Amino acid sequence: MTLDLSREGLRSDMYANPHRERMPVIASQDSPVMQGWSDATARQKIAGIVDQVRLDLSRGHHHTAEELLRERFKQTRLEVDDERVVALAISLRGVDHELTRREEEARRVAAESGGPSV
């Protein structure tokens, strides 16, 4: 069985096993897939992004909270001023393990070089 989903922005691909039926694969995603996203207020969208970033950071991420927030706001075309981004990043400090790692590294380097600690 072959699914024709081309007009839905999807394509059908055959896996290595020829006995499996073709499965739709999303070719690209240009907007959030959650229903109702566009109906949410800016405040609700920001809260949702903060929740996503909190989860990402709690699982370990190579970016800091501030970097992730700025990236997500840019991706979703939400205009959030710098002060608000910094405040939100501070609120995620407890799960921002990458920032902690970077600060500890800076302290270690400063201690080894005899410079002031960070």
Side-chain angles (χ1 to χ4, degrees):
M1 178 169 101
T2 301
L3 300 173
D4 181 14
L5 300 172
S6 57
R7 63 176 181 254
E8 305 294 328
L10 303 171
R11 68 173 201 263
S12 298
D13 286 331
M14 185 66 109
Y15 287 99
N17 184 347
H19 302 291
R20 288 183 77 170
E21 62 183 84
R22 293 176 184 215
M23 301 297 292
V25 176
I26 296 176
S28 70
Q29 179 182 332
D30 300 327
S31 62
V33 293
M34 291 180 61
Q35 192 172 20
W37 168 262
S38 61
D39 299 335
T41 65
R43 186 179 190 150
Q44 290 169 326
K45 291 176 185 180
I46 291 170
I49 289 171
V50 169
D51 287 343
Q52 290 174 353
V53 169
R54 179 179 291 111
L55 180 62
D56 289 345
L57 291 170
S58 70
R59 292 179 173 171
H61 204 282
H62 63 281
H63 290 295
T64 65
E66 186 175 344
E67 292 167 347
L68 283 173
L69 288 168
R70 289 185 190 285
E71 178 182 321
R72 302 279 168 80
F73 292 144
K74 182 178 178 182
Q75 289 171 344
T76 56
R77 297 183 189 105
L78 276 173
E79 292 186 24
V80 181
D81 64 48
D82 285 341
E83 289 179 13
R84 181 77 171 132
V85 172
V86 170
L88 292 169
I90 290 170
S91 76
L92 296 170
R93 184 68 170 99
V95 291
D96 195 347
H97 306 300
E98 177 61 17
L99 181 61
T100 302
R101 186 195 67 73
R102 290 180 188 181
E103 289 173 347
E104 288 172 357
E105 178 68 15
R107 277 194 285 283
R108 185 186 63 75
V109 169
E112 288 174 359
S113 67
S117 62
V118 178

